[in-house]
Amino acid sequence: FTVIMGIRDQWCVSFLQFLLLTADIISTVEFNQSGELLATGDKGGRVVIFQQEQENKLQCRGEYNVYSTFQSHEPEFDYLKSLEIEEKINKIRWLPQKNAAHFLLSTNDKTIKLWKISERDKRPEGYNLKEEDGQYRDPNTVTTLRVPVFRPMDLMVEASPRRVFANAHTYHINSISVNSDCETYLSADDLRVNLWHLEITDRSFNIVDIKPANMEDLTEVITAAEFHPNQCNTFVYSSSKGTIRLCDMRAAALCDSHAKLFEEPEDPNNRSFFSEIISSISDVKFSHSGRYMMTRDYLSVKIWDLNMESRPVETYQVHEYLRSKLCSLYENDCIFDKFECCWNGNDSVVMTGSYNNFFRMFDRGYQQDMTLEASRENSKPRSVLKPRKVSTGGKRKKDEISVDSLDFNKKILHTAWHPLDNIIAVATTNNLYIFQDKLN
Ligand SMILES: *[C@@H]1O[C@H](CO)[C@@H](O)[C@H](O)[C@H]1NC(C)=O
Ligand SMILES: *[C@@H]1O[C@H](CO)[C@@H](O)[C@H](O)[C@H]1NC(C)=O
Ligand SMILES: *[C@@H]1O[C@H](CO)[C@@H](O)[C@H](O)[C@H]1NC(C)=O
């Protein structure tokens, strides 16, 4: 982070806070557009929202505290297909704030919900017919009229479901993305992308459909999709074959024929049984500027210029040392882990997770990278994180960890970067860590 602050001799990230989300596995992490709110979703269908405390004398930067917790999704059963529908929250997206309340979309495999989160610190008192305890008075006993008044009460944050967008996805929803027109959003599953109006729940438009006429011909699935940050007609979707398609909704109602196809030619020397599996894209994110997009595959992060389809402009190896371990990672299913990736506020640094609760940052300008660890043992508030190093053959140096002792059960799939500040949120299995750059 110090790179961003202009000091070049070392990177410093200090531990700020550790938030335990009791027992449930975190499945998504998302800041709102100003970074003051941070929402997490978990496997149990719960959404927990944290709020950044206002700056005070002791700390120059606010920490995050729980603001609201609510049950977004419940387990359901699809009787037609005899399938259980998990309550796990796959994605959360904030809507730009328009009034005092906050709105967010949350989705599990099948159903998207729009939630309103609002504050209440006053309550009406002194009704003529309603008593304080909720009982109603006999109107005949009312002899004088009074004017109800608002009395202050302890701040209450309420979450209420506003809309439920259901029955439009046959397969599992992997992405939702709010359009820059602030009126529509998209949802993507394994084979289709749908477009919704935020006000209309009983109808969506299918804008991509890659389902083959015969399911036996299926060779590719959609893995992620996102709207361009400022061109409301443009969106991208990525696939299990490592390609990204950019679509223009002005061209046709059904965007099956993409406007651009981004794909890196395969290096014939690297072909193996695992080539296709590890090239599957687990996440795609536009830069804030809208000029680039970033994709994450199993071993790397790639940055693409929207004006160049033939190859990425930058490639960062996340954990290249795992290339020789793909066989065992296939056997223990880790090779199918879906790592996400994120940009910092001005697109100069990107971040993504790895195993052993390591996460990686890549400074694009300086071509520097760093490995850090989210762990309770070495995290005292305000302590500076020591960069970690994995030894890749040869003699292991002091402080290095060997590839064979990495713990593949500890993984960081979900990370988020505060849009305006050097604060990051990193989710290990059921803990959330907040880090900030040291200079603040
Ligand atoms: C990003 O912002 C930091 C200040 O926070 C600045 O030092 C750095 O040069 C910026 N990078 C780019 C690419 O604009
Ligand atoms: C994010 O949340 C904060 C805290 O309530 C709010 O002040 C801010 O306006 C929100 N930002 C956006 C862009 O929604
Ligand atoms: C091929 O493998 C080498 C290392 O074995 C790696 O550096 C290179 O990036 C790979 N090429 C592609 C296109 O993945």
Side-chain angles (χ1 to χ4, degrees):
F1 279 87
T2 45
V3 170
I4 307 152
M5 307 308 296
I7 295 173
R8 297 284 325 134
D9 48 0
Q10 60 172 147
W11 291 72
C12 295
V13 178
S14 73
F15 173 72
L16 179 62
Q17 206 180 359
F18 158 76
L19 303 157
L20 180 68
L21 296 179
T22 60
D24 243 324
I25 296 176
I26 301 172
S27 51
T28 183
V29 181
E30 185 80 7
F31 281 105
N32 84 336
Q33 286 88 343
S34 69
E36 287 157 72
L37 296 178
L38 173 65
T40 62
D42 68 26
K43 196 160 175 287
R46 256 188 340 161
V47 171
V48 181
I49 301 174
F50 299 92
Q51 184 181 38
Q52 193 171 14
E53 290 303 303
Q54 293 313 308
E55 300 186 359
N56 63 32
K57 295 176 291 297
L58 291 172
Q59 311 146 291
C60 20
R61 196 76 73 59
E63 299 189 352
Y64 285 79
N65 288 316
V66 175
Y67 178 65
S68 170
T69 302
F70 58 95
Q71 190 71 32
S72 170
H73 287 68
E74 305 276 355
E76 280 176 82
F77 197 77
D78 181 341
Y79 289 95
L80 272 179
K81 299 205 190 88
S82 270
L83 278 180
E84 205 158 335
I85 303 170
E86 266 190 284
E87 65 272 36
K88 175 173 150 256
I89 308 295
N90 292 342
K91 284 279 149 49
I92 291 176
R93 288 290 177 266
W94 291 92
L95 268 55
Q97 196 175 11
K98 285 190 188 147
N99 53 34
H102 296 279
F103 289 86
L104 63 78
L105 291 169
S106 62
T107 188
N108 67 351
D109 286 341
K110 300 285 171 194
T111 305
I112 305 149
K113 294 185 181 177
L114 175 68
W115 289 89
K116 177 183 179 181
I117 294 105
S118 48
E119 292 186 355
R120 202 139 63 92
D121 58 1
K122 292 187 191 70
R123 66 157 173 260
E125 265 177 24
Y127 288 117
N128 289 293
L129 292 178
K130 204 165 94 179
E131 300 282 15
E132 264 22 345
D133 60 7
Q135 298 293 318
Y136 282 90
R137 274 161 72 183
D138 177 357
N140 298 323
T141 66
V142 175
T143 50
T144 58
L145 284 179
R146 47 185 185 176
V147 179
V149 289
F150 275 108
R151 295 242 183 273
M153 62 170 205
D154 286 344
L155 179 70
M156 235 173 67
V157 181
E158 298 171 317
S160 45
R162 276 322 171 91
R163 313 224 189 289
V164 176
F165 306 88
N167 305 321
H169 285 278
T170 311
Y171 305 96
H172 289 357
I173 299 176
N174 52 46
S175 309
I176 46 178
S177 175
V178 180
N179 195 351
S180 57
D181 67 10
C182 298
E183 284 184 354
T184 56
Y185 74 92
L186 66 73
S187 57
D189 68 27
D190 301 319
L191 296 178
R192 298 193 178 104
V193 181
N194 291 332
L195 179 70
W196 300 84
H197 193 285
L198 281 162
E199 302 287 329
I200 301 167
T201 58
D202 60 355
R203 183 167 81 232
S204 67
F205 296 95
N206 180 226
I207 50 175
V208 174
D209 187 348
I210 64 163
K211 186 166 185 254
N214 182 350
M215 278 299 263
E216 273 161 26
D217 300 333
L218 183 69
T219 58
E220 187 174 21
V221 296
I222 298 170
T223 52
E226 192 179 50
F227 264 119
H228 189 278
N230 47 51
Q231 293 167 14
C232 62
N233 52 292
T234 308
F235 68 95
V236 289
Y237 67 93
S238 61
S239 90
S240 56
K241 281 196 160 166
T243 59
I244 311 111
R245 288 179 177 81
L246 184 124
C247 305
D248 185 344
M249 294 195 290
R250 288 173 306 189
L254 190 65
C255 304
D256 281 355
S257 58
H258 49 265
K260 287 184 179 182
L261 175 71
F262 299 82
E263 187 171 24
E264 182 164 35
E266 195 181 6
D267 183 343
N269 300 324
N270 289 10
R271 249 206 114 84
S272 76
F273 171 72
F274 303 110
S275 301
E276 187 165 322
I277 304 177
I278 62 170
S279 65
S280 176
I281 292 175
S282 48
D283 198 13
V284 56
K285 294 269 167 65
F286 278 107
S287 62
H288 295 87
S289 70
R291 161 103 193 252
Y292 301 99
M293 59 186 172
M294 161 168 55
T295 55
R296 172 70 210 262
D297 53 49
Y298 192 58
L299 295 180
S300 66
V301 165
K302 291 174 182 163
I303 315 275
W304 305 76
D305 186 329
L306 293 198
N307 299 316
M308 187 162 84
E309 296 160 63
S310 55
R311 59 185 167 84
V313 285
E314 294 154 39
T315 300
Y316 300 104
Q317 303 302 339
V318 177
H319 38 214
E320 184 63 25
Y321 44 79
L322 297 182
R323 199 179 280 277
S324 59
K325 297 256 171 294
L326 293 178
C327 228
S328 46
L329 292 164
Y330 179 75
E331 270 157 25
N332 63 16
D333 275 348
C334 283
I335 204 167
F336 302 106
D337 283 334
K338 293 183 173 305
F339 291 97
E340 295 173 3
C341 50
C342 62
W343 299 85
N344 75 336
N346 68 3
D347 302 335
S348 59
V349 184
V350 297
M351 173 169 65
T352 191
S354 176
Y355 293 104
N356 208 55
N357 284 349
F358 285 176
F359 58 99
R360 303 262 291 145
M361 288 189 208
F362 303 95
D363 185 301
R364 300 177 57 211
Y366 292 103
Q367 293 289 311
Q368 271 201 345
D369 67 292
M370 179 169 61
T371 305
L372 296 168
E373 181 182 5
S375 112
R376 282 175 87 167
E377 285 80 61
N378 51 24
S379 295
K380 279 199 262 6
R382 320 249 139 217
S383 62
V384 174
L385 297 192
K386 269 228 299 286
R388 303 298 312 259
K389 221 168 148 66
V390 178
S391 83
T392 52
K395 203 162 171 290
R396 187 161 59 90
K397 297 198 203 75
K398 204 165 95 7
D399 286 352
E400 285 188 353
I401 174 165
S402 88
V403 180
D404 293 318
S405 42
L406 295 174
D407 185 343
F408 292 102
N409 293 315
K410 292 183 178 169
K411 48 190 111 177
I412 292 178
L413 303 178
H414 315 284
T415 58
W417 204 305
H418 190 298
L420 309 174
D421 213 338
N422 288 325
I423 294 179
I424 54 171
V426 171
T428 61
T429 309
N430 51 5
N431 297 320
L432 184 67
Y433 291 80
I434 311 263
F435 301 102
Q436 65 175 355
D437 65 78
K438 188 184 155 231
L439 296 180
N440 281 264

